[in-house]
Amino acid sequence: MDSKQFREAAISSIDEIVKYYDTIEERRVVSNVEPGYLRKLLPEEAPQNGEAWADIQKDLESKIVPGMTHWQSPNFLAWFPSSSSFPAMLGEMYSAAFTGAAFNWICSPAVTELETIVMDWLAKAFGLPSCYLSTGPTNGGGVIHGTASEAIATVLVAARDKYLREATAHITDEEEREDAIAIRRSKLVALGSAATHSATKKGAQIAGVRFRAVPVHAADGYRMTGAELRRTILELRARGLEPFYLTATLGTTDTCAIDDMEGVASVLEELAPPGPGEVWVHVDAAYAGAALICPEYQHLAKVFDRFHSYNTNLHKWLLVNFDCSCVWVRDRNHLTEALSVSLAILRNQHTDSGLVTDYRDWQIPFGRRFRSLKVWFVLRTYGVEGLRAHVRKHMGLAETFAGLVKGRPDLFEIVTGPRFALTVIKLVKEGKTPEEQNALTKKMYDGVVEDGRIFLSSTVVGGVFAIRHNPATPLVEEHHVRRHFEILAEAAEKVLAEA
């Protein structure tokens, strides 16, 4: 494909993408193909000779699109959103054109420097404490990872190495220190609440340490409390184990609960005060952290200066296409000490001077993408005020939905919410046991998903089977939300009539 052919193909592709977005509401949200459908449609081997772009493009619509779930549809309400916007798409296009591994500053200075700048812009826009700025008082700063799972695994590894390094700093003999580290490592425990994302447990597996969940309860709104954290830490220590890391969550996956950040900070300052032996606290705000763009939610960040790291995914709610997980640390040295690798081939005068950032030392992978470009495009196109309006719009739509639910107490009950545009509901039927209630809600949920007009996800909280409604895709409007409720009410009436 030469430049002329590329121009023609690109124009045709953009026209097709625009048409896709303009008509996305007409498509069934969830694909209904059978597993293995695509193998039946594609050849057994790659083509020996190149094909015309027009033929490839036809196959995209006829073979690939039928197997797609349409996350940008205003009728996609499941899990959390995966945002998209045209400025971000343009950023991805330019990034692909400039493609490079970008592991060092010298690889492409603009890639590194733009990332540092937009991460500082975002930290200020979110109202994060100054310790997370690259110019802040604690040697902090931000880096863009792919996902929150990657961010958690990265800071968990840094926390592990920091804890072991400090615990064995008094041992001068290198072999004796290695033995001591191996023994201590076998006792390390990473913590997260029972409602936190599975990324912490997976990160613990990667880091070769244990994981324990701090219990949460309905009476506390399914948030982790300081009291439960205290009980868990003391129980583990009584068994000779050493808690060294904690994921605190701002917006849990099931219900968007916010852990008791003040309580967590107070308990840890008592049981594991700052210094050697402290517990590294990472705040996972993968979805709900986007709300900090609004001043009315920035009070939630005030306690973060007592913690070690924080992340939020711009690709969930802030119009930056997947993937883009923003991570801030209070002290970048903890990352670089754990993850830095020095090879002769990597040496250059700029790195050796210590005056530049090499982001390869802030992450597990070596190479990295130019993600900051799409962030820059989105921030400049929408502005902070535009992003605030985007988030507030979805908050309002969730309030509308919750109001509709409350208007039909004969059908529904709100389990939690609305919180950060997420409302969790269940069916109600007098005279039924909790197990029977769960079965009715699940039957209704299965029917709605099978119907295909809208797509939601379900969960189980406190033994209750519930349905999550999260109208936070870029194209959703109030009339869509009202239609969502009509579909749910219709399905509920049918199920309850048959009960």
Side-chain angles (χ1 to χ4, degrees):
M1 183 181 283
D2 59 26
S3 60
K4 179 176 181 296
Q5 292 169 321
F6 172 69
R7 180 183 292 109
E8 293 171 352
I11 291 171
S12 176
S13 297
I14 288 172
D15 286 344
E16 197 165 74
I17 290 169
V18 170
K19 180 181 178 182
Y20 169 76
Y21 273 78
D22 287 345
T23 61
I24 195 169
E25 189 177 345
E26 301 168 12
R27 298 178 184 266
R28 177 187 171 91
V29 186
V30 181
S31 171
N32 57 359
V33 300
E34 294 295 325
Y37 90 98
L38 193 56
R39 186 168 291 278
K40 300 174 184 176
L41 300 178
L42 298 184
E44 289 293 323
E45 297 179 355
Q48 296 300 308
N49 298 301
E51 302 176 46
W53 173 252
D55 293 333
I56 299 171
Q57 196 170 25
K58 286 177 187 175
D59 281 352
L60 178 69
E61 180 62 37
S62 64
K63 296 179 172 64
I64 303 301
V65 173
M68 298 297 296
T69 291
H70 303 290
W71 285 64
Q72 306 311 311
S73 170
N75 297 317
F76 181 94
L77 308 158
W79 305 303
F80 288 124
S82 184
S83 283
S84 175
S85 70
F86 294 128
M89 290 184 211
L90 293 173
E92 288 279 26
M93 185 171 70
Y94 275 106
S95 177
F98 295 142
T99 188
F103 46 84
N104 274 357
W105 178 88
I106 195 61
C107 291
S108 280
V111 175
T112 294
E113 297 197 10
L114 184 62
E115 185 160 338
T116 301
I117 290 166
V118 298
M119 290 298 285
D120 280 349
W121 281 8
L122 287 166
K124 293 173 183 176
F126 288 142
L128 298 184
S130 62
C131 60
Y132 292 106
L133 295 172
S134 66
T135 56
T138 60
N139 203 36
V143 60
I144 303 177
H145 287 175
T147 67
S149 298
E150 180 186 343
I152 288 171
T154 302
V155 297
L156 200 154
V157 166
R160 179 201 65 191
D161 283 14
K162 171 182 177 293
Y163 186 92
L164 292 173
R165 185 170 56 250
E166 292 173 349
T168 58
H170 62 286
I171 303 174
T172 56
D173 182 79
E174 185 174 341
E175 192 167 325
E176 185 181 342
R177 186 188 309 114
E178 286 184 357
D179 290 341
I181 286 175
I183 294 170
R184 295 294 284 266
R185 183 170 176 168
S186 69
K187 299 178 181 180
L188 296 186
V189 183
L191 301 173
S193 86
T196 200
H197 192 275
S198 59
T200 300
K201 185 174 183 180
K202 188 171 185 177
Q205 289 176 276
I206 292 169
V209 299
R210 308 181 196 213
F211 171 78
R212 291 294 183 273
V214 179
V216 297
H217 309 285
D220 300 316
Y222 301 105
R223 67 175 185 162
M224 177 172 59
T225 64
E228 282 293 351
L229 177 62
R230 173 197 293 276
R231 186 176 297 111
T232 301
I233 290 175
L234 293 178
E235 287 175 356
L236 290 169
R237 287 180 174 174
R239 295 174 50 202
L241 299 175
E242 301 181 33
F244 75 101
Y245 169 91
L246 170 70
T247 295
T249 308
L250 194 162
T252 58
T253 304
D254 290 327
T255 66
C256 264
I258 304 173
D259 288 341
D260 176 14
M261 302 295 180
E262 286 285 353
V264 166
S266 296
V267 166
L268 292 179
E269 284 173 0
E270 175 194 345
L271 298 183
E278 68 180 341
V279 173
W280 179 302
V281 180
H282 174 73
V283 178
D284 177 20
Y287 165 69
L292 298 188
I293 200 82
C294 303
E296 59 267 32
Y297 290 97
Q298 291 180 358
H299 65 278
L300 297 172
K302 288 183 179 178
V303 71
F304 294 171
D305 62 352
R306 296 156 75 182
F307 300 150
H308 298 76
S309 52
Y310 171 86
N311 81 273
T312 193
N313 292 350
L314 300 192
H315 63 244
K316 278 192 166 70
W317 204 3
L318 283 180
L319 299 172
V320 177
N321 295 50
F322 188 87
D323 55 4
C324 188
S325 184
C326 295
V327 191
W328 287 270
V329 290
R330 196 174 65 192
D331 186 345
R332 72 189 78 160
N333 287 331
H334 298 321
L335 287 182
T336 58
E337 287 173 357
L339 301 169
S340 179
V341 175
S342 181
L343 299 173
I345 195 172
L346 301 178
R347 294 196 62 180
N348 63 84
Q349 62 176 332
H350 305 288
T351 294
D352 291 345
S353 73
L355 299 177
V356 299
T357 297
D358 289 336
Y359 275 124
R360 74 172 194 274
D361 296 332
W362 294 44
Q363 61 180 31
I364 293 172
F366 184 74
R368 53 203 329 277
R369 299 175 58 229
F370 194 2
R371 296 185 181 99
S372 60
L373 193 62
K374 59 187 174 183
V375 178
W376 191 50
F377 283 10
V378 167
L379 287 172
R380 292 191 63 186
T381 302
Y382 292 93
V384 172
E385 284 298 332
L387 295 177
R388 286 171 178 164
H390 175 73
V391 168
R392 287 167 177 155
K393 169 188 169 184
H394 293 142
M395 299 277 202
L397 293 177
E399 293 289 345
T400 297
F401 178 79
L404 294 170
V405 170
K406 291 174 184 176
R408 290 299 304 270
D410 57 317
L411 298 178
F412 302 113
E413 180 182 317
I414 292 179
V415 179
T416 64
R419 293 177 186 152
F420 302 107
L422 172 66
T423 309
V424 183
I425 65 172
K426 67 173 185 176
L427 253 65
V428 293
K429 177 73 172 179
E430 289 187 12
K432 297 293 184 181
T433 66
E435 292 76 16
E436 291 170 333
Q437 295 267 16
N438 284 347
L440 289 173
T441 305
K442 186 177 188 305
K443 184 177 180 181
M444 176 201 135
Y445 170 76
D446 291 341
V448 170
V449 172
E450 178 66 26
D451 174 73
R453 287 177 288 173
I454 62 175
F455 181 51
L456 311 96
S457 54
S458 63
T459 188
V460 177
V461 287
V464 176
F465 184 93
I467 299 170
R468 301 168 73 262
H469 181 271
N470 182 213
T473 56
L475 300 177
V476 68
E477 300 290 346
E478 183 175 336
H479 71 272
H480 295 119
V481 170
R482 293 187 178 277
R483 181 59 178 154
H484 301 161
F485 179 76
E486 290 172 4
I487 292 170
L488 290 168
E490 175 188 309
E493 288 169 348
K494 180 181 179 182
V495 166
L496 294 178
E498 297 171 353

